[in-house]
Amino acid sequence: MFHRKTITASLEASTPVFFGYISIGMVFGFLLVKEGFNWLLAPIMSITIFAGAAQYLAIDLISNNIPLLEIGLTILLLNARHIVYGLSLLDRFKAPSRHKGYLIFGLTDETYGLLTTIKPPKGTKPEYFDLWITLLNQSYWVIGSIIGAIIGNIIPVEIEGLDFALTALFIVLTIEQIKQIKRFEPFLYPVVIFALLSIIGAGSYLLILTIVLSSISMIFIKEKR
Amino acid sequence: MKILLAIIVMIIATQITRFLPFIIFKKKEPSETLKTVSKFIPGAVMITLVLISIPINMDISSNYKIWLGSIIVIVLHLTFNKPLISILGGTGLYCLINYIL
């Protein structure tokens, strides 16, 4: 596990997530404390739930006293995109290993983005490369949320625009996917579906509906031989 | 106590979505169609996450800043091809745009 080249490579590969997670983790911790919650909940949630969007939503759900069943269903729908992630990683996580469960547990949008975009570089141990990426990403997320919670406890500051790091990260990952797939359909279809759903007014189901319908639409893309 | 229960519910809901495909396809192989589709899905999901994180509005004047920031990220990435430069530079300039305009 402590193979130097593998650790260096995963540190390098995960740097963009470092900046993304530290900043959006900070915003999460900050908002949580500002809503009146104990700062310890920030690291507790980041360690046990480890799902960015869900944790942001959680602040809202808990502070509005939403019933548990409704909380569960909402989070399930919001995170349903993970099912799709798992499907495309079946092969990559095929080899049985002791840390396989953790790799699945830590499959966030960003970890998934890194794992599907970046191949383990030559000279590294692939099975530990994935583990380090996941471990590092979660530690950035936990550290970010702790820093945010502490800042929120001490000083009243405004973070204007810092959360753009998340959009920037997704843009970069999309460009990398375009370079790798070299097809336009997987990117065009979601845009069309997203636009149509926005016009119809899908509201809070926009994310989940776009992901589900886009995934289905991929069936109509013929593979080049 | 109620908060802790809510957190447990969220842990379960989140992990169901992550473990489900690995449990279903533990023994049997997914079909060829499913395999092909899953190759295209990451890109489709990434562009969807971009679209979702950009508040699209018919009124361009209200969110031109985020468009400007996005273009900066794209240009930076196509020029330097270093994720770190694209994300840090893009976010820094976006904050600057927010501060100045």
Side-chain angles (χ1 to χ4, degrees):
Chain A
M1 176 174 180
F2 297 99
H3 183 252
R4 175 170 293 185
K5 203 164 180 191
T6 309
I7 298 175
T8 325
S10 47
L11 267 171
E12 194 182 312
S14 65
T15 339
V17 178
F18 170 82
F19 289 99
Y21 270 11
I22 290 287
S23 42
I24 54 163
M26 277 175 65
V27 177
F28 164 71
F30 187 80
L31 293 174
L32 187 81
V33 169
K34 288 290 167 216
E35 275 296 322
F37 291 107
N38 188 317
W39 75 274
L40 271 172
L41 280 178
I44 289 175
M45 290 171 76
S46 295
I47 291 170
T48 59
I49 303 177
F50 191 31
Q55 284 178 234
Y56 269 84
L57 197 63
I59 302 176
D60 254 20
L61 295 174
I62 300 176
S63 54
N64 287 322
N65 248 328
I66 305 290
L68 287 179
L69 187 69
E70 208 172 310
I71 291 183
L73 273 176
T74 311
I75 300 293
L76 201 67
L77 273 177
L78 178 72
N79 285 337
R81 63 189 188 283
H82 294 143
I83 297 173
V84 166
Y85 297 175
L87 275 181
S88 59
L89 284 174
L90 285 173
D91 262 347
R92 177 126 176 190
F93 290 176
K94 199 164 215 165
S97 69
R98 258 187 294 172
H99 56 257
K100 186 176 171 179
Y102 178 69
L103 292 183
I104 299 170
F105 161 84
L107 209 51
T108 61
D109 297 335
E110 291 75 14
T111 306
Y112 171 74
L114 284 186
L115 293 184
T116 48
T117 314
I118 299 167
K119 298 222 159 56
K122 276 199 185 98
T124 62
K125 296 185 172 168
E127 69 274 28
Y128 290 119
F129 181 77
D130 292 355
L131 175 63
W132 276 107
I133 293 271
T134 312
L135 261 175
L136 286 168
N137 284 356
Q138 184 166 21
S139 61
Y140 305 150
W141 178 244
V142 173
I143 292 168
S145 59
I146 293 175
I147 296 174
I150 291 172
I151 292 176
N153 255 342
I154 307 171
I155 24 169
V157 283
E158 292 278 327
I159 309 171
E160 178 89 52
L162 216 55
D163 53 345
F164 181 73
L166 192 65
T167 307
L169 175 63
F170 290 141
I171 292 174
V172 167
L173 291 175
T174 303
I175 297 174
E176 290 302 314
Q177 285 289 334
I178 293 174
K179 284 184 192 165
Q180 197 181 313
I181 297 178
K182 297 189 178 76
R183 297 282 297 260
F184 70 90
E185 300 98 320
F187 305 95
L188 178 67
Y189 294 179
V191 174
V192 174
I193 291 167
F194 180 86
L196 287 175
L197 286 173
S198 305
I199 294 166
I200 297 168
S204 50
Y205 297 106
L206 189 56
L207 175 63
I208 177 72
L209 276 180
T210 310
I211 289 182
V212 169
L213 294 178
S214 302
S215 305
I216 295 171
S217 75
M218 298 295 121
I219 296 170
F220 302 105
I221 303 174
K222 291 275 174 291
E223 196 164 17
K224 280 178 186 158
R225 301 200 184 268
Chain B
M1 193 59 214
K2 187 142 190 291
I3 296 174
L4 289 184
L5 273 178
I7 291 177
I8 291 169
V9 167
M10 286 187 276
I11 295 170
I12 296 169
T14 302
Q15 293 311 326
I16 285 175
T17 63
R18 288 184 181 155
F19 279 89
L20 200 61
F22 294 95
I23 295 167
I24 294 175
F25 296 108
K26 196 173 185 181
K27 289 271 149 61
K28 59 180 175 198
E29 278 278 304
S31 67
E32 282 304 314
T33 317
L34 200 57
K35 278 185 183 168
T36 312
V37 165
S38 66
K39 223 188 298 174
F40 297 134
I41 285 173
V45 172
M46 283 314 146
I47 200 159
T48 306
L49 290 172
V50 172
L51 293 173
I52 282 286
S53 66
I54 298 175
I56 292 188
N57 202 314
M58 292 307 145
D59 178 20
I60 299 197
S61 66
S62 65
N63 52 38
Y64 70 96
K65 288 173 191 169
I66 212 154
W67 285 107
L68 209 57
S70 308
I71 293 167
I72 291 171
V73 174
I74 295 170
V75 171
L76 283 176
H77 197 66
L78 293 180
T79 314
F80 299 104
N81 199 18
K82 291 255 181 274
L84 199 55
I85 295 178
S86 325
I87 292 164
L88 267 193
T91 308
L93 286 171
Y94 176 74
C95 290
L96 199 68
I97 291 168
N98 262 308
Y99 181 73
I100 297 171
L101 301 176

